[in-house]
């Protein structure tokens, strides 16, 4: 009887305790089946999904996506990975690190004439400078974002 109750507990209650949420599970399962840029894009999507609550896992996915993007010369993946790392660093109050990642993203987005990404990056840089109380550089970057 004790074994049966333990089994029932695990099946009906314990399983929910150990499971992740459905979107996270779905993305993780997809990653294992994919390759190339689709795998990179899915890793970045998972990192983006996780960054607010599980920043260490998000960083790991971003770092792996960055590594794969660099080796395959996938500029979009490189830029998005640096951008995600910048967002995580900003969230962790690592403002200088955030700026460094953002500048790498900016270089790629400007080279590829991705003006939407460039504007987003200027806002990220401005936010980091704002948190560093460097209002002059914050305003300068906010202005660049709207130009």
């Amino acid at each position: 009887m004790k074994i049966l109750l333990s089994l029932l507990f695990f099946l009906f209650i314990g399983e929910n305790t150990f499971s992740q949420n459905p979107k996270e599970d779905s993305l993780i399962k997809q990653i294992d089946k994919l390759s190339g840029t689709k795998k990179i894009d899915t890793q970045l999507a998972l990192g983006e999904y996780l960054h607010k609550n599980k920043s260490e896992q998000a960083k790991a996915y971003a770092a792996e996506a960055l590594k794969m993007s660099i080796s395959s010369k996938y500029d979009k993946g490189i830029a998005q990975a640096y951008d995600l790392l910048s967002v995580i660093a900003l969230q962790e109050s690592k403002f200088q690190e955030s700026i460094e990642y953002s500048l790498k993203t900016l270089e790629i987005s400007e080279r590829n004439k991705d003006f939407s990404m460039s504007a987003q990056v200027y806002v990220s840089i401005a936010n980091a400078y704002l948190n560093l109380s460097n209002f002059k550089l914050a305003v300068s970057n906010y202005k660049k974002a709207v130009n």
Side-chain angles (χ1 to χ4, degrees):
M1 182 67 172
K2 214 177 200 184
I3 295 172
L4 182 59
L5 286 173
S6 295
L7 181 61
L8 288 173
F9 174 79
F10 179 76
L11 288 174
F12 293 107
I13 298 171
E15 181 180 355
N16 292 333
T17 305
F18 299 113
S19 72
Q20 300 168 12
N21 82 44
K23 183 172 182 175
E24 185 178 345
D25 287 340
S26 173
L27 289 170
I28 289 170
K29 287 177 186 173
Q30 285 179 23
I31 286 172
D32 293 336
K33 297 176 186 175
L34 299 172
S35 62
T37 59
K38 289 186 181 199
K39 183 172 187 161
I40 293 166
D41 291 340
T42 305
Q43 288 174 319
L44 291 168
L46 182 56
E48 180 67 32
Y49 181 77
L50 295 172
H51 86 274
K52 289 183 182 172
N53 298 317
K54 298 179 180 179
S55 65
E56 290 303 315
Q57 284 180 292
K59 275 194 268 190
Y61 283 111
E64 182 60 26
L66 178 61
K67 179 180 165 187
M68 289 178 65
S69 295
I70 290 170
S71 71
S72 63
K73 298 179 179 160
Y74 180 43
D75 269 359
K76 180 182 174 190
I78 297 168
Q80 289 178 336
Y82 279 135
D83 187 56
L84 180 54
L85 290 167
S86 171
V87 169
I88 294 168
L90 186 65
Q91 184 178 298
E92 294 176 340
S93 300
K94 297 177 181 175
F95 306 120
Q96 197 57 49
E97 184 178 321
S98 176
I99 292 167
E100 290 167 16
Y101 284 131
S102 290
L103 291 172
K104 291 177 181 183
T105 307
L106 186 62
E107 178 184 331
I108 296 165
S109 65
E110 287 184 342
R111 181 176 65 231
N112 293 326
K113 296 182 176 24
D114 186 344
F115 303 115
S116 176
M117 174 68 95
S118 294
Q120 175 186 328
V121 173
Y122 279 121
V123 170
S124 293
I125 294 169
N127 289 339
Y129 280 125
L130 187 64
N131 281 289
L132 289 169
S133 299
N134 190 331
F135 304 115
K136 184 177 179 179
L137 285 175
V139 169
S140 172
N141 280 282
Y142 284 130
K143 285 180 181 178
K144 289 176 184 177
V146 296
N147 288 334

